[in-house]
Amino acid sequence: MSTIDGLPPLREVIAAHGLSAKKALGQNFLLDLNLTAKIARVAGDLAGADVLEVGPGPGGLTRGLLAEGARRVLAVEKDTRCLAALAEIAAAYPGRLEVVNGDALALDPLAHLTPPVKIVANLPYNVGTELLVRWLTPATWPPVWSSLTLMFQKEVAERIVAEPGSKAYGRLAILAQWRTDVRIALKLPPEAFTPPPKVASAVVHLTALPAPRFEADPAVLERVVAAAFGQRRKMLRASLKGLAPGIEDLLHSVGIAPTDRAEQLPLEAFCALARAVAGARG
Ligand code: SAM
C-alpha cells in the first residue's frame, strides 16, 4: 500500500518494531496518515517553522508534520522501543527530524529551536495538561512558541475553551484565554486511535497573543483563580477571604458582587481583581 511519504504504513511499522501499545505510557496511536496530516495542518504554515513534537510514538503525527513541510521537527519520546521506527523517518527526511529519547516533563528542548516555534503533541492526558500549564506560564511573555496544537480528552479540551457560566469554566480556561487565542480545531472519536481510548478526544489550537489580554501579575492572578475555583460553589467573599484583608471592599472596588461565584466571573474581572489584590498588598 502506498503512503503519503513512501514509508511503510504504520500498521507495518508497529508490527516490524514490536510496538504493542503500553497503557502506562498512555499509548493510543494514530495510524491514519491523512488524519495526522490534517492535524499538522491545524498548526498552520509549517514551512518556515521549527516544530517541537512531544510523544511521537511510532511517528504517525511526525510523518504528517514532515509531509506538510515542517522546516525541522524535534521529537521527544520516552519509549526507547519507538526509536528505531523514528530513525527510519529521519532517514527519509534528511536533516529535518531530530529525536530525543527522554521524559518531556524533565527536559526543556525549546531553547534548541529557532523561532517561529510551533508545539504539536498527542500526549497522555496527565502529561499533556501538565505541559500545557508549563507552556502557558513561562517567566516572560510572549513565549518562545507561537502556537500549541495539542490533543486532549474532549472534556479537557472543553475546559480550555470554556466560557463563564459553564461547568467546564475554571483555572485552565483562564490560564489559556488570558494569553492565547483558543479553539477546538478537530474532534476525534475513540476509533481514530489504536487501541481506542475510553473517551472522545479533541485537538485544541492555541495561538500566543503578543501580550496578555488584560494586565495582571501572573502569580497574583494564579492565586486569585486557585482560591476562587478551589471552592467554586462558594460565594467569592467566602472563597477569597484569605487572599487579602477587606476582600469584600476590594471586590466592590472592581465592580464584582461579593455574592458572585467564580464560575460567573469573566476573565477581565479576574484580572481586575488580581490588580486590586496586588495593590492592596502594596
Ligand atoms: N504521537 C503518536 C501518535 O499520535 O500516534 C503517539 C501518541 S500516544 C497517545 C503518546 C506518546 O507519548 C507515546 O508514544 C508515549 O510513549 C509518549 N509519552 C508518554 N509520556 C511521555 C513523556 N513524559 N515524555 C515523552 N513522551 C511521552
Side-chain angles (χ1 to χ4, degrees):
M1 204 168 80
S2 66
T3 55
I4 52 170
D5 49 16
L7 286 161
L10 282 151
R11 268 184 212 291
E12 282 179 23
V13 172
I14 285 172
H17 294 281
L19 302 178
S20 53
K22 278 193 183 168
K23 216 174 172 179
L25 284 169
Q27 292 182 334
N28 302 97
F29 300 132
L30 292 167
L31 304 189
D32 176 351
L33 290 166
N34 291 315
L35 176 59
T36 62
K38 191 170 170 182
I39 296 170
R41 286 197 294 275
V42 170
D45 182 13
L46 299 175
D50 278 8
V51 178
L52 170 63
E53 188 197 355
V54 190
L61 186 52
T62 320
R63 287 166 63 175
L65 291 163
L66 290 162
E68 287 301 314
R71 176 173 69 192
R72 181 175 164 223
V73 177
L74 176 61
V76 181
E77 172 57 59
K78 195 169 171 180
D79 187 354
T80 47
R81 296 180 312 156
C82 299
L83 299 181
L86 294 167
E88 288 174 4
I89 306 172
Y93 288 96
R96 289 174 58 197
L97 171 63
E98 189 185 334
V99 179
V100 176
N101 182 207
D103 182 344
L105 293 169
L107 300 168
D108 184 10
L110 279 175
H112 302 284
L113 297 173
T114 309
V117 173
K118 292 171 184 265
I119 301 181
V120 181
N122 172 20
L123 271 171
Y125 150 74
N126 54 341
V127 181
T129 313
E130 163 87 38
L131 286 173
L132 170 66
V133 170
R134 288 193 199 175
W135 288 325
L136 288 172
T137 52
T140 56
W141 198 270
V144 176
W145 50 268
S146 57
S147 72
L148 308 173
T149 306
L150 309 172
M151 181 86 70
F152 287 105
Q153 288 185 359
K154 190 166 142 279
E155 171 250 323
V156 178
E158 281 162 356
R159 280 166 46 204
I160 297 168
V161 303
E163 300 200 354
S166 69
K167 278 213 169 67
Y169 185 61
R171 177 171 174 256
L172 268 190
I174 289 173
L175 271 186
Q177 295 172 34
W178 183 42
R179 302 203 268 203
T180 73
D181 273 331
V182 297
R183 68 182 169 96
I184 291 185
L186 278 178
K187 290 186 181 169
L188 285 90
E191 311 79 69
F193 301 85
T194 302
K198 288 204 174 63
V199 294
S201 301
V203 175
V204 184
H205 185 67
L206 304 94
T207 312
L209 296 170
R213 227 174 273 281
F214 307 104
E215 202 186 309
D217 178 290
V220 180
L221 179 63
E222 175 80 17
R223 272 203 301 280
V224 170
V225 170
F229 286 102
Q231 304 179 66
R232 62 189 292 143
R233 308 225 62 83
K234 288 199 175 168
M235 292 177 188
L236 291 167
R237 67 173 171 223
S239 58
L240 300 182
K241 212 163 152 184
L243 265 190
I247 192 69
E248 288 214 27
D249 291 342
L250 279 185
L251 285 163
H252 277 302
S253 76
V254 290
I256 302 171
T259 50
D260 273 356
R261 292 179 167 78
E263 219 166 271
Q264 298 161 275
L265 277 201
L267 170 62
E268 186 171 10
F270 274 109
C271 293
L273 183 56
R275 291 195 300 273
V277 169
R281 290 173 161 194

